[in-house]
């Protein structure tokens, strides 16, 4: 059985930042492995270690700089990686769901995995839709927001728990092949070991262009145009306690006593 | 003139609030476009749900009686057929766990754009402008989508619940559900692990988030809770890490709490967390980041390191 895991490098933003046009100024951004994808990688690697999966392949849409993040996934136990990038993608302001799917669909067609794992969402644009849209595009089954996955050797069905709102889980069987979007908390993602990091350097990281995948540049232009970005206005009239930690703690203690919730 | 189709959501026999929020969002759009507001309700006791959905501004309610609970294959088939049949321009659903399990498939099947987790919407001519957040709520963005149809998922609790009785026509929609195309089956539901503490009953919650850094540091918050006579709760990352049991989690997927005072310590205030605690009478946030989203809803805030403030607060009560 082969698993394809979509891995995204996301930008994390400093506490204080400036916006430059429709983007956050690069000075205030750092790159990181998308949190949800970290859980998806771990789930795939565990299935591989349990002997249920033969190969774990990752796919990332990103420029050369994302290779550092891809190596993290390889160091955690993925077998090989595919990175998709070319000049047409450089031009795109906001890679929307349709554009991501156009690329990933071509990768799925080439790799023919039995299972695709994606994170539920990414920490930057938070569309939360790529996995399900991809499943529909490639004509497989899917399940969104999976927080438990049971898969037996040679099974043609995956049993999953989907995390609904309000502390409720849905128990669902999904025919394979399928795309599952993985929720945080499904497992405990490992840190990459030194040995893993060394081994990752020797693993295959295959760069593909849109032309290699047979994707038309027009398909990645997307339907959504990012027209503005701004800091949300605060609607609250928060009272900020000022001073040293002792001062602010004193003011908070007074408030709690006033409210009668603590003595 | 562009018609709007909203898709209601229900669970275990109850319409979810977001179904009525969708009607408000849909009615606003219908007013802008001059179109009709259609509502679809799929699976379960659809006629009873239709009564609950008949609010002011709704022109037609389409019932699809097939199955009991949500199944994404049934929803995807029914909604795509309804969009085609009604020639709807804008399809609005909930940005809920189930919304995200079928709306992307609807958009892909119809080969139309999808905009998710939208907090505000407006149309001008053929352009839809949607407002959504990025980077965990640190920035808001607007995105434009040209042409129709467009599939949109809206964030819960951003629009008020539609009030006022309506006089919509209720029509059974005869969706052709291809059973061979149903590739998943729901076998039941399960509550997450309970336990001896019910955080929804507490008057004072001391809630801890990612800012605590290490599991060992939780002792500090336990000490504070003991000093204050408070109950300890947490945001999602603490439960994900296995540092506290699931019944302590406040948020969309955890418990909804409404204590007299909620002290959020090292919690940034992601929308999923806020959904579970914004009904608290008084909210206090302790966080080094003055721009953290939690500050938008906090009544009182301390912009300082929790590792300095919490020991000082314990001192005040010992």
């Amino acid at each position: 059985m082969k698993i394809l895991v979509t891995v995204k490098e996301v930008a994390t933003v400093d506490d204080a930042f400036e916006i430059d046009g429709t983007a956050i100024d690069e000075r205030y951004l750092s790159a990181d492995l998308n949190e949800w994808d970290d859980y998806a990688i771990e789930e795939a690697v565990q299935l591989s270690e349990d002997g249920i999966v033969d190969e774990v392949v990752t796919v990332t849409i990103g420029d050369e700089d994302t290779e550092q993040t891809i190596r993290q996934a390889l160091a955690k136990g993925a077998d090989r990686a595919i990175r998709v990038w070319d000049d047409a993608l450089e031009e795109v302001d906001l890679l929307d769901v349709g554009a991501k799917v156009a690329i990933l669909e071509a990768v799925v067609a080439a790799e023919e995995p039995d299972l695709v794992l994606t994170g539920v969402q990414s920490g930057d644009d938070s569309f939360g839709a790529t996995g399900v849209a991809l499943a529909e595009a490639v004509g497989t089954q899917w399940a969104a927001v999976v927080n438990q996955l049971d898969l037996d050797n040679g099974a043609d069905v995956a049993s999953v728990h989907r995390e609904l709102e309000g502390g409720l889980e849905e128990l669902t069987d999904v025919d394979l092949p399928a795309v599952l979007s993985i929720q945080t908390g499904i497992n405990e993602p490992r840190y990459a070991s030194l040995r893993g990091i060394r081994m990752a350097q020797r693993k295959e990281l295959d760069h593909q262009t849109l032309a290699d995948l047979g994707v038309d540049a027009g398909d990645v232009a997307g339907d959504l145009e990012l027209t503005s970005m701004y800091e949300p206005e605060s609607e609250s009239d928060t009272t900020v306690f000022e001073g040293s930690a002792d001062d602010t703690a004193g003011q908070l203690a007074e408030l709690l006593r006033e409210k009668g919730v603590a003595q | 003139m562009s018609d709007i189709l909203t898709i209601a959501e229900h669970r275990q026999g109850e319409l979810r609030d977001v179904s009525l929020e969708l009607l408000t969002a849909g009615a606003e759009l219908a007013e802008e476009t001059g179109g009709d507001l259609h509502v679809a309700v799929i699976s379960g006791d659809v006629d009873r749900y239709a009564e609950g959905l008949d609010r002011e501004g709704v022109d037609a309610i389409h019932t699809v009686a097939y199955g009991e609970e949500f199944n994404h294959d049934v929803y995807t088939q029914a909604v795509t057929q309804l969009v085609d049949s009604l020639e709807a321009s804008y399809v609005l659903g909930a940005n809920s766990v189930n919304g995200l399990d079928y709306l992307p498939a609807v958009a892909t099947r119809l080969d139309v754009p999808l905009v998710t987790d939208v907090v505000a919407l407006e149309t001008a001519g053929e352009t839809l402008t949607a407002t959504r957040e990025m980077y965990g709520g640190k920035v808001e963005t607007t995105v434009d989508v040209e042409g129709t149809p467009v599939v949109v998922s809206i964030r819960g609790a951003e629009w008020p619940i539609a009030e006022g009785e309506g006089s919509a026509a209720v029509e059974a929609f005869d969706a052709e559900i291809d059973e061979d195309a149903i590739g998943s089956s729901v076998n039941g539901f399960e509550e997450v692990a309970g336990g001896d503490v019910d955080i929804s009953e507490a008057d004072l919650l001391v809630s801890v988030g990612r800012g605590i850094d290490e599991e060992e540091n939780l002792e500090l918050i336990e000490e504070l809770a003991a000093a204050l006579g408070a109950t300890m709760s947490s945001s999602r990352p603490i439960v994900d890490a296995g540092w506290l049991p699931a019944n302590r989690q406040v948020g969309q997927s955890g418990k909804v709490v409404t204590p007299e005072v909620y002290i959020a310590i090292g919690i940034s205030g992601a929308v999923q967390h806020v959904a579970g605690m914004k009904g608290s009478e008084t909210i206090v946030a302790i966080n080094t980041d003055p721009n953290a989203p939690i500050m938008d809803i906090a009544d009182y805030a301390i912009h300082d390191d929790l590792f300095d403030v919490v020991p000082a607060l314990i001192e005040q009560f010992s």
Side-chain angles (χ1 to χ4, degrees):
Chain A
M1 192 179 271
K2 185 202 276 191
I3 294 193
L4 181 71
V5 186
T6 62
V7 172
K8 185 176 180 185
E9 181 178 282
V10 295
T12 54
V13 184
D14 294 349
D15 285 351
F17 60 90
E18 288 170 36
I19 293 169
D20 181 10
T22 54
I24 291 173
D25 193 309
E26 279 189 18
R27 285 177 294 165
Y28 307 101
L29 298 176
S30 346
D32 206 354
L33 168 63
N34 182 39
E35 187 185 354
W36 285 264
D37 298 350
D38 199 9
Y39 289 85
I41 295 162
E42 179 64 33
E43 199 63 17
V45 170
Q46 285 186 12
L47 287 167
S48 168
E49 288 169 345
D50 292 345
I52 294 164
V53 163
D54 308 309
E55 190 181 27
V56 177
V57 183
T58 68
V59 54
T60 302
I61 303 168
D63 63 17
E64 216 169 306
D65 293 345
T66 61
E67 291 200 0
Q68 200 186 336
T69 295
I70 298 169
R71 294 276 175 212
Q72 271 188 58
L74 291 170
K76 285 166 184 256
D79 297 299
R80 62 184 170 89
I82 299 163
R83 178 174 71 81
V84 182
W85 195 249
D86 75 21
D87 294 346
L89 287 162
E90 199 90 50
E91 309 288 313
V92 182
D93 232 6
L94 180 69
L95 202 61
D96 67 18
V97 178
K100 286 175 196 165
V101 167
I103 294 166
L104 296 174
E105 188 182 356
V107 175
V108 169
E111 292 288 333
E112 297 183 340
D114 303 281
L115 195 60
V116 178
L117 301 184
T118 72
V120 162
Q121 64 179 65
S122 59
D124 48 10
D125 58 30
S126 309
F127 281 116
T130 306
V132 172
L134 174 64
E136 173 64 24
V138 299
T140 69
Q141 259 302 317
W142 71 84
V145 194
V146 169
N147 67 349
Q148 188 179 321
L149 166 61
D150 296 309
L151 190 63
D152 292 333
N153 232 331
D156 51 9
V157 170
S159 297
V160 303
H161 287 213
R162 293 181 58 237
E163 183 191 83
L164 304 180
E165 293 85 355
L168 194 67
E169 294 183 4
E170 181 197 274
L171 282 54
T172 301
D173 284 343
V174 184
D175 293 349
L176 297 181
V179 181
L180 308 177
S181 78
I182 300 295
Q183 176 64 303
T184 60
I186 188 173
N187 52 41
E188 195 176 334
R190 70 194 68 194
Y191 288 100
S193 64
L194 275 174
R195 184 168 167 270
I197 293 166
R198 271 201 305 274
M199 282 173 66
Q201 295 304 324
R202 293 198 294 272
K203 289 181 179 172
E204 183 190 341
L205 203 169
D206 179 18
H207 171 221
Q208 305 242 352
T209 63
L210 296 182
D212 294 336
L213 292 166
V215 177
D216 192 279
D219 291 342
V220 299
D223 297 306
L224 274 50
E225 189 194 349
L226 189 59
T227 46
S228 69
M229 180 180 284
Y230 47 89
E231 289 190 56
E233 275 178 38
S234 175
E235 287 166 10
S236 71
D237 43 359
T238 311
T239 303
V240 179
F241 294 141
E242 307 276 359
S244 68
D246 283 336
D247 295 341
T248 56
Q251 294 168 70
L252 176 52
E254 200 179 319
L255 173 79
L256 296 175
R257 289 192 178 106
E258 258 174 42
K259 298 269 176 196
V261 289
Q263 298 305 317
Chain B
M1 205 174 74
S2 300
D3 288 349
I4 319 297
L5 172 64
T6 76
I7 319 296
E9 193 166 301
H10 56 86
R11 178 170 301 146
Q12 297 189 314
E14 301 289 335
L15 273 179
R16 303 192 67 225
D17 283 352
V18 71
S19 303
L20 302 175
E21 294 159 17
L22 277 160
L23 298 185
T24 306
E28 284 174 10
L29 265 194
E31 192 162 329
E32 280 177 27
T33 64
D36 286 342
L37 174 59
H38 297 262
V39 185
V41 59
I42 304 161
S43 305
D45 194 353
V46 289
D47 291 324
R48 182 167 58 83
Y49 296 142
E51 283 175 31
L53 292 163
D54 192 4
R55 301 287 163 110
E56 211 173 306
V58 177
D59 294 292
I61 300 170
H62 306 273
T63 59
V64 180
Y66 190 97
E68 284 307 309
E69 288 287 348
F70 173 81
N71 176 294
H72 64 228
D73 291 305
V74 174
Y75 268 58
T76 304
Q77 292 188 42
V79 173
T80 48
Q81 289 171 32
L82 268 161
V83 174
D84 283 342
S85 162
L86 299 169
E87 296 182 9
S89 296
Y90 298 110
V91 182
L92 304 187
N95 197 73
S96 59
V97 173
N98 283 347
L100 288 178
D101 199 42
Y102 79 96
L103 290 168
V106 168
T108 304
R109 196 167 293 187
L110 293 169
D111 195 19
V112 302
L114 168 72
V115 200
T116 60
D117 204 14
V118 167
V119 297
L121 275 173
E122 61 180 323
T123 55
E126 281 287 282
T127 307
L128 176 81
T129 301
T131 305
R132 58 192 308 281
E133 292 177 350
M134 277 176 72
Y135 303 108
K138 286 201 164 181
V139 298
E140 255 179 28
T141 61
T142 53
V143 291
D144 281 3
V145 194
E146 295 288 336
T148 58
V150 181
V151 177
V152 176
S153 73
I154 68 159
R155 181 179 289 180
E158 290 293 326
W159 278 266
I161 280 175
E163 306 278 358
E165 248 179 71
S167 53
V170 178
E171 293 162 18
F173 180 75
D174 192 16
E176 284 176 33
I177 305 296
D178 175 5
E179 298 205 356
D180 292 340
I182 297 177
S184 66
S185 56
V186 177
N187 300 320
F189 297 91
E190 219 170 67
E191 300 267 354
V192 298
D196 51 347
V197 175
D198 186 356
I199 57 171
S200 60
E201 295 291 321
D203 289 335
L204 175 60
L205 277 174
V206 169
S207 207
V208 60
R210 209 187 282 263
I212 199 71
D213 293 335
E214 304 281 343
E215 186 173 10
E216 300 86 84
N217 297 337
L218 274 185
E219 274 178 32
L220 182 66
I221 309 299
E222 278 164 9
E223 211 182 313
L224 175 66
L228 296 177
T231 302
M232 191 153 105
S233 59
S234 82
S235 65
R236 173 168 201 117
I238 304 300
V239 171
D240 278 352
W243 298 349
L244 281 177
N247 65 329
R248 301 287 182 135
Q249 186 184 324
V250 173
Q252 206 163 50
S253 50
K255 285 262 170 84
V256 174
V257 298
T258 52
E260 282 179 44
V261 178
Y262 185 90
I263 309 179
I265 303 174
I267 291 177
S268 66
V271 59
Q272 293 86 350
H273 181 75
V274 168
M277 47 66 79
K278 65 184 170 196
S280 305
E281 212 166 289
T282 301
I283 296 167
V284 182
I286 303 173
N287 201 308
T288 46
D289 178 5
N291 298 316
I294 192 84
M295 298 303 172
D296 287 344
I297 57 155
D299 301 293
Y300 298 90
I302 296 173
H303 300 156
D304 204 348
D305 193 333
L306 73 91
F307 295 106
D308 293 329
V309 177
V310 173
L313 190 56
I314 293 169
E315 189 74 15
Q316 292 279 340
F317 287 91
S318 51

